[in-house]
Amino acid sequence: MITKPLNELTIAEAATLIKNKLISPVELTKSYLNRIEKVEPAVQAFVTVTAEQALQAARESEQKLMNGEYLGPLHGIPYGAKDIIHTAGIRTSAGSSTFPDFVPGTNATVINKLQAAGAILLGKTTTTEYAFQGGEPPTRNPWNLEHTPGGSSSGSAAAVAAGMASFTLGTQTFGSLLRPAAYNGLTCMKPTYGRVSRNGVITASWSLDHIGAFTRSAQDNAIVLETMVGQDELDPFTLPHGKPDLTNALEHPISEMMVGLPSSFFQTDEPAILLAVESAIAVLERLGMQWKKVDLPSYMEETIAAHRTVMRAEAAAFHQERFAEASDRYGHTMREQLELGYQTSAVDYLQAQRIRTIFRSEMMMLFDEVDVLLTPSTPYVAPYGYKTGSPIFNGPFTNTGLPSITVPIGFDTTSGKQLPIGMQLAGPLMREDRLLSIAHHYQQATNWHQLTPIIHIH
């Protein structure tokens, strides 16, 4: 018996029902399209909804199922994609008036992989301008419509939290996966740099961009990530590693693992966040994990400054031709950041990359003494208004290319508003399996990831 609305099923739950022909891809797709019609005016997570294409894909998916051709756990599962990811025949605007009518002729590699696995695209989700800074979309946080969902993957996070998609794709160049995931009470993995192809994804910063998925659970995230990873000849930055078995790795034992707690990440003015993290650590202790305090490299401020230098310089290089032709069509903040990028000297850029290399080496040495690092996902919960929030806790793991994941661990109710809190775990290169296993065991022992917001529609 199905005990909840179809659009609230996890990928794993829906996959079992579809495989056993207890629900159809058409039924599931219609449930999400109905949900979009109901709550999208309040949440504003989508730029484009491709309802007809989605229903046609669902009918084709159902026919394959009737013919005995089951493609796997994403067969018939509806999803959304951030509007910087190329989708053939579907407008990709990058949240910018400089790019208003671009319709790609081909899909990004990740879209092709998901399509081959049977997933059904519902549409494109909102983003800040070029997934960089400024041009905040009107997207709202489903847990409280007066608060931000975070950015730049604003719509991707809000769509899953609001039950408008089973999962969504986003990107992170500083904190644009984990921050909005934490603000919206979701599970999201930023994989190792180069783990997922960025071919067909509009660049924010070549050496910093990562692709990940917003999901309701670690189990769902493993299913999606397992489909997306792999070397791609169209993206020279992808790593030459085969497909990992992430779903089976979920059940790997986590007892006796050592968790490192970086003291600098626990200096927040929000007691609710510290209490929630302490409670989460207690759960992990009951599951057999141990913890110790660790010190991160002392020059964190210099590393963050280097990160921003690299972002601006690489963005300026990517936008050089378009900016020369139409600088006045960029939003004020984006234009300001690009101008700073054009003022960056080769010496500044190379020094920033040198700092990144040293920092990455020292961060990786920490995993000689601990299995994972644990921090709050954000220094505070989703702010009021349209600002995207602070990525400061996520940046070090983007900067180094290390994998990191956020899972929901509670709520801040001190102001009378229920706003989600997340816990971030980071691990050694290529150890997404370890992070997903810990996240999964934690979610087996708690129910924060199962809660959904009540959206007040006026």
Side-chain angles (χ1 to χ4, degrees), residues 435-453:
L435 300 180
L436 286 163
S437 178
I438 296 170
H440 179 66
H441 281 278
Y442 173 81
Q443 290 181 336
Q444 294 296 101
T446 61
N447 72 338
W448 300 113
H449 64 292
Q450 297 172 349
L451 304 180
T452 57

Side-chain angles (χ1 to χ4, degrees), residues 239-321:
L239 300 172
H241 295 273
K243 181 179 178 179
D245 189 358
L246 297 175
T247 49
N248 284 331
L250 293 171
E251 300 298 340
H252 288 176
I254 64 170
S255 59
E256 307 304 320
M257 279 192 188
M258 180 63 71
V259 177
L261 305 179
S263 56
S264 56
F265 279 74
F266 289 80
Q267 297 168 6
T268 171
D269 294 330
E270 295 209 16
I273 288 181
L274 293 179
L275 285 172
V277 173
E278 287 170 4
S279 296
I281 292 170
V283 171
L284 295 177
E285 280 188 302
R286 290 197 294 274
L287 294 172
M289 298 187 75
Q290 305 172 53
W291 62 270
K292 63 184 288 189
K293 291 184 178 180
V294 296
D295 293 320
L296 296 186
S298 59
Y299 46 92
M300 186 70 75
E301 288 186 14
E302 293 91 333
T303 303
I304 293 167
H307 190 135
R308 296 190 189 281
T309 296
V310 170
M311 278 181 66
R312 289 167 179 156
E314 293 185 354
F318 176 77
H319 286 271
Q320 186 173 18
E321 185 176 335

Side-chain angles (χ1 to χ4, degrees), residues 288-437:
M289 298 187 75
Q290 305 172 53
W291 62 270
K292 63 184 288 189
K293 291 184 178 180
V294 296
D295 293 320
L296 296 186
S298 59
Y299 46 92
M300 186 70 75
E301 288 186 14
E302 293 91 333
T303 303
I304 293 167
H307 190 135
R308 296 190 189 281
T309 296
V310 170
M311 278 181 66
R312 289 167 179 156
E314 293 185 354
F318 176 77
H319 286 271
Q320 186 173 18
E321 185 176 335
R322 184 174 290 113
F323 191 78
E325 295 174 353
S327 63
D328 58 322
R329 293 175 63 187
Y330 285 82
H332 170 74
T333 305
M334 184 71 186
R335 186 168 60 249
E336 187 178 73
Q337 292 298 314
L338 290 176
E339 287 170 347
L340 287 171
Y342 291 123
Q343 294 168 21
T344 302
S345 70
V347 171
D348 291 338
Y349 178 77
L350 292 172
Q351 288 286 17
Q353 290 287 26
R354 174 178 169 274
I355 290 170
R356 284 184 68 194
T357 301
I358 296 171
F359 183 73
R360 173 176 170 164
S361 176
E362 294 192 9
M363 284 286 284
M364 289 172 65
M365 288 172 61
L366 286 173
F367 296 108
D368 291 337
E369 53 181 299
V370 298
D371 295 293
V372 294
L373 297 172
L374 184 155
T375 78
S377 297
T378 58
Y380 44 77
V381 293
Y384 177 86
Y386 286 76
K387 297 298 181 183
T388 56
S390 172
I392 205 72
F393 285 3
N394 319 122
F397 309 111
T398 312
N399 201 341
T400 56
L402 296 170
S404 54
I405 191 171
T406 182
V407 295
I409 58 170
F411 294 89
D412 181 359
T413 59
T414 54
S415 61
K417 302 174 181 179
Q418 190 176 42
L419 292 168
I421 297 170
M423 169 179 69
Q424 177 178 239
L425 298 166
L429 293 171
M430 307 298 291
R431 293 313 306 265
E432 290 85 1
D433 59 334
R434 182 181 296 175
L435 300 180
L436 286 163
S437 178

